[in-house]
PDB file of all heavy atoms in Angstrom:
ATOM      1  N   GLN A  53    -127.288 105.868 -75.192  1.00  0.00           N
ATOM      2  CA  GLN A  53    -128.711 105.909 -75.575  1.00  0.00           C
ATOM      3  C   GLN A  53    -129.424 106.818 -74.604  1.00  0.00           C
ATOM      4  O   GLN A  53    -128.969 107.042 -73.421  1.00  0.00           O
ATOM      5  CB  GLN A  53    -129.263 104.434 -75.263  1.00  0.00           C
ATOM      6  CG  GLN A  53    -128.793 103.476 -76.317  1.00  0.00           C
ATOM      7  CD  GLN A  53    -129.654 102.250 -76.257  1.00  0.00           C
ATOM      8  OE1 GLN A  53    -130.873 102.309 -76.093  1.00  0.00           O
ATOM      9  NE2 GLN A  53    -128.975 101.124 -76.522  1.00  0.00           N
ATOM     10  N   CYS A  54    -130.421 107.635 -75.064  1.00  0.00           N
ATOM     11  CA  CYS A  54    -131.247 108.569 -74.256  1.00  0.00           C
ATOM     12  C   CYS A  54    -132.135 107.628 -73.439  1.00  0.00           C
ATOM     13  O   CYS A  54    -132.964 106.838 -73.986  1.00  0.00           O
ATOM     14  CB  CYS A  54    -132.005 109.486 -75.175  1.00  0.00           C
ATOM     15  SG  CYS A  54    -130.943 110.606 -75.983  1.00  0.00           S
ATOM     16  N   ILE A  55    -132.079 107.887 -72.199  1.00  0.00           N
ATOM     17  CA  ILE A  55    -132.937 107.060 -71.185  1.00  0.00           C
ATOM     18  C   ILE A  55    -134.121 107.891 -70.765  1.00  0.00           C
ATOM     19  O   ILE A  55    -133.991 109.111 -70.524  1.00  0.00           O
ATOM     20  CB  ILE A  55    -132.047 106.784 -69.968  1.00  0.00           C
ATOM     21  CG1 ILE A  55    -130.701 106.047 -70.341  1.00  0.00           C
ATOM     22  CG2 ILE A  55    -132.863 105.898 -68.891  1.00  0.00           C
ATOM     23  CD1 ILE A  55    -130.850 104.768 -71.133  1.00  0.00           C
ATOM     24  N   THR A  56    -135.242 107.267 -70.714  1.00  0.00           N
ATOM     25  CA  THR A  56    -136.414 108.039 -70.224  1.00  0.00           C
ATOM     26  C   THR A  56    -136.842 107.561 -68.773  1.00  0.00           C
ATOM     27  O   THR A  56    -137.502 108.385 -68.101  1.00  0.00           O
ATOM     28  CB  THR A  56    -137.597 107.778 -71.172  1.00  0.00           C
ATOM     29  OG1 THR A  56    -137.857 106.390 -71.227  1.00  0.00           O
ATOM     30  CG2 THR A  56    -137.400 108.340 -72.640  1.00  0.00           C
ATOM     31  N   SER A  57    -136.440 106.414 -68.297  1.00  0.00           N
ATOM     32  CA  SER A  57    -136.692 105.951 -66.970  1.00  0.00           C
ATOM     33  C   SER A  57    -135.936 104.627 -66.854  1.00  0.00           C
ATOM     34  O   SER A  57    -135.298 104.115 -67.740  1.00  0.00           O
ATOM     35  CB  SER A  57    -138.163 105.758 -66.640  1.00  0.00           C
ATOM     36  OG  SER A  57    -138.680 104.790 -67.467  1.00  0.00           O
ATOM     37  N   LEU A  58    -135.899 104.284 -65.576  1.00  0.00           N
ATOM     38  CA  LEU A  58    -135.125 103.056 -65.260  1.00  0.00           C
ATOM     39  C   LEU A  58    -135.984 102.246 -64.209  1.00  0.00           C
ATOM     40  O   LEU A  58    -136.590 102.762 -63.342  1.00  0.00           O
ATOM     41  CB  LEU A  58    -133.874 103.537 -64.536  1.00  0.00           C
ATOM     42  CG  LEU A  58    -132.921 102.467 -64.003  1.00  0.00           C
ATOM     43  CD1 LEU A  58    -132.314 101.677 -65.158  1.00  0.00           C
ATOM     44  CD2 LEU A  58    -131.786 103.112 -63.138  1.00  0.00           C
ATOM     45  N   THR A  59    -135.997 100.935 -64.417  1.00  0.00           N
ATOM     46  CA  THR A  59    -136.579 100.139 -63.499  1.00  0.00           C
ATOM     47  C   THR A  59    -135.540  99.074 -62.882  1.00  0.00           C
ATOM     48  O   THR A  59    -134.693  98.534 -63.592  1.00  0.00           O
ATOM     49  CB  THR A  59    -137.676  99.172 -64.261  1.00  0.00           C
ATOM     50  OG1 THR A  59    -138.641 100.012 -64.886  1.00  0.00           O
ATOM     51  CG2 THR A  59    -138.447  98.195 -63.369  1.00  0.00           C
ATOM     52  N   LEU A  60    -135.534  99.080 -61.619  1.00  0.00           N
ATOM     53  CA  LEU A  60    -134.648  98.204 -60.804  1.00  0.00           C
ATOM     54  C   LEU A  60    -135.360  97.126 -60.114  1.00  0.00           C
ATOM     55  O   LEU A  60    -136.354  97.393 -59.534  1.00  0.00           O
ATOM     56  CB  LEU A  60    -133.812  99.106 -59.800  1.00  0.00           C
ATOM     57  CG  LEU A  60    -132.922 100.039 -60.376  1.00  0.00           C
ATOM     58  CD1 LEU A  60    -132.896 101.323 -59.760  1.00  0.00           C
ATOM     59  CD2 LEU A  60    -131.510  99.350 -60.323  1.00  0.00           C
ATOM     60  N   GLU A  61    -134.890  95.841 -60.299  1.00  0.00           N
ATOM     61  CA  GLU A  61    -135.457  94.705 -59.608  1.00  0.00           C
ATOM     62  C   GLU A  61    -134.339  94.049 -58.764  1.00  0.00           C
ATOM     63  O   GLU A  61    -133.112  94.213 -59.073  1.00  0.00           O
ATOM     64  CB  GLU A  61    -135.908  93.731 -60.711  1.00  0.00           C
ATOM     65  CG  GLU A  61    -137.171  94.247 -61.475  1.00  0.00           C
ATOM     66  CD  GLU A  61    -137.712  93.192 -62.369  1.00  0.00           C
ATOM     67  OE1 GLU A  61    -137.326  92.043 -62.427  1.00  0.00           O
ATOM     68  OE2 GLU A  61    -138.576  93.628 -63.158  1.00  0.00           O
ATOM     69  N   HIS A  62    -134.744  93.324 -57.826  1.00  0.00           N
ATOM     70  CA  HIS A  62    -133.791  92.701 -56.978  1.00  0.00           C
ATOM     71  C   HIS A  62    -134.370  91.359 -56.419  1.00  0.00           C
ATOM     72  O   HIS A  62    -135.525  91.100 -56.673  1.00  0.00           O
ATOM     73  CB  HIS A  62    -133.264  93.453 -55.811  1.00  0.00           C
ATOM     74  CG  HIS A  62    -134.338  93.536 -54.615  1.00  0.00           C
ATOM     75  ND1 HIS A  62    -135.616  93.927 -54.719  1.00  0.00           N
ATOM     76  CD2 HIS A  62    -134.107  93.124 -53.323  1.00  0.00           C
ATOM     77  CE1 HIS A  62    -136.229  93.938 -53.651  1.00  0.00           C
ATOM     78  NE2 HIS A  62    -135.420  93.493 -52.649  1.00  0.00           N
ATOM     79  N   TYR A  63    -133.471  90.506 -55.906  1.00  0.00           N
ATOM     80  CA  TYR A  63    -133.959  89.144 -55.307  1.00  0.00           C
ATOM     81  C   TYR A  63    -133.965  89.533 -53.813  1.00  0.00           C
ATOM     82  O   TYR A  63    -132.832  89.442 -53.136  1.00  0.00           O
ATOM     83  CB  TYR A  63    -132.914  88.164 -55.707  1.00  0.00           C
ATOM     84  CG  TYR A  63    -133.455  86.787 -55.215  1.00  0.00           C
ATOM     85  CD1 TYR A  63    -134.461  86.135 -55.900  1.00  0.00           C
ATOM     86  CD2 TYR A  63    -132.755  86.059 -54.249  1.00  0.00           C
ATOM     87  CE1 TYR A  63    -134.868  84.845 -55.499  1.00  0.00           C
ATOM     88  CE2 TYR A  63    -133.214  84.869 -53.846  1.00  0.00           C
ATOM     89  CZ  TYR A  63    -134.342  84.283 -54.533  1.00  0.00           C
ATOM     90  OH  TYR A  63    -134.734  83.082 -54.129  1.00  0.00           O
ATOM     91  N   PRO A  64    -135.199  89.607 -53.212  1.00  0.00           N
ATOM     92  CA  PRO A  64    -135.225  89.962 -51.683  1.00  0.00           C
ATOM     93  C   PRO A  64    -134.456  88.849 -50.907  1.00  0.00           C
ATOM     94  O   PRO A  64    -134.393  87.729 -51.260  1.00  0.00           O
ATOM     95  CB  PRO A  64    -136.707  89.771 -51.528  1.00  0.00           C
ATOM     96  CG  PRO A  64    -137.390  90.182 -52.793  1.00  0.00           C
ATOM     97  CD  PRO A  64    -136.420  89.515 -53.821  1.00  0.00           C
ATOM     98  N   ALA A  65    -133.907  89.372 -49.843  1.00  0.00           N
ATOM     99  CA  ALA A  65    -133.010  88.524 -48.958  1.00  0.00           C
ATOM    100  C   ALA A  65    -131.635  88.284 -49.481  1.00  0.00           C
ATOM    101  O   ALA A  65    -130.717  88.593 -48.787  1.00  0.00           O
ATOM    102  CB  ALA A  65    -133.736  87.257 -48.510  1.00  0.00           C
ATOM    103  N   MET A  66    -131.559  87.869 -50.769  1.00  0.00           N
ATOM    104  CA  MET A  66    -130.342  87.684 -51.328  1.00  0.00           C
ATOM    105  C   MET A  66    -129.523  89.132 -51.477  1.00  0.00           C
ATOM    106  O   MET A  66    -128.294  89.211 -51.139  1.00  0.00           O
ATOM    107  CB  MET A  66    -130.312  86.968 -52.627  1.00  0.00           C
ATOM    108  CG  MET A  66    -128.924  86.861 -53.278  1.00  0.00           C
ATOM    109  SD  MET A  66    -129.023  86.196 -54.959  1.00  0.00           S
ATOM    110  CE  MET A  66    -129.498  84.460 -54.605  1.00  0.00           C
ATOM    111  N   THR A  67    -130.253  90.071 -51.869  1.00  0.00           N
ATOM    112  CA  THR A  67    -129.697  91.387 -52.048  1.00  0.00           C
ATOM    113  C   THR A  67    -129.178  91.958 -50.696  1.00  0.00           C
ATOM    114  O   THR A  67    -128.100  92.444 -50.622  1.00  0.00           O
ATOM    115  CB  THR A  67    -130.610  92.326 -52.679  1.00  0.00           C
ATOM    116  OG1 THR A  67    -131.181  91.673 -53.878  1.00  0.00           O
ATOM    117  CG2 THR A  67    -130.065  93.643 -53.067  1.00  0.00           C
ATOM    118  N   GLU A  68    -130.055  91.882 -49.644  1.00  0.00           N
ATOM    119  CA  GLU A  68    -129.698  92.419 -48.412  1.00  0.00           C
ATOM    120  C   GLU A  68    -128.417  91.696 -47.884  1.00  0.00           C
ATOM    121  O   GLU A  68    -127.534  92.333 -47.288  1.00  0.00           O
ATOM    122  CB  GLU A  68    -130.833  92.426 -47.442  1.00  0.00           C
ATOM    123  CG  GLU A  68    -131.987  93.350 -47.754  1.00  0.00           C
ATOM    124  CD  GLU A  68    -132.948  92.814 -48.816  1.00  0.00           C
ATOM    125  OE1 GLU A  68    -132.721  91.737 -49.357  1.00  0.00           O
ATOM    126  OE2 GLU A  68    -134.011  93.461 -48.985  1.00  0.00           O
ATOM    127  N   LYS A  69    -128.404  90.462 -47.999  1.00  0.00           N
ATOM    128  CA  LYS A  69    -127.224  89.646 -47.542  1.00  0.00           C
ATOM    129  C   LYS A  69    -125.976  90.137 -48.254  1.00  0.00           C
ATOM    130  O   LYS A  69    -124.910  90.223 -47.587  1.00  0.00           O
ATOM    131  CB  LYS A  69    -127.507  88.132 -47.873  1.00  0.00           C
ATOM    132  CG  LYS A  69    -126.496  87.204 -47.302  1.00  0.00           C
ATOM    133  CD  LYS A  69    -126.933  85.710 -47.445  1.00  0.00           C
ATOM    134  CE  LYS A  69    -125.747  84.894 -46.853  1.00  0.00           C
ATOM    135  NZ  LYS A  69    -126.005  83.482 -47.084  1.00  0.00           N
ATOM    136  N   ALA A  70    -126.139  90.270 -49.529  1.00  0.00           N
ATOM    137  CA  ALA A  70    -124.919  90.748 -50.230  1.00  0.00           C
ATOM    138  C   ALA A  70    -124.397  92.164 -49.871  1.00  0.00           C
ATOM    139  O   ALA A  70    -123.302  92.410 -49.595  1.00  0.00           O
ATOM    140  CB  ALA A  70    -125.193  90.751 -51.788  1.00  0.00           C
TER     141      ALA A  70
END
Side-chain angles (χ1 to χ4, degrees):
Q53 293 194 34
C54 292
I55 307 302
T56 57
S57 64
L58 177 68
T59 301
L60 288 137
E61 296 183 6
H62 78 299
Y63 187 72
M66 179 186 285
T67 304
E68 290 82 353
K69 185 175 178 182

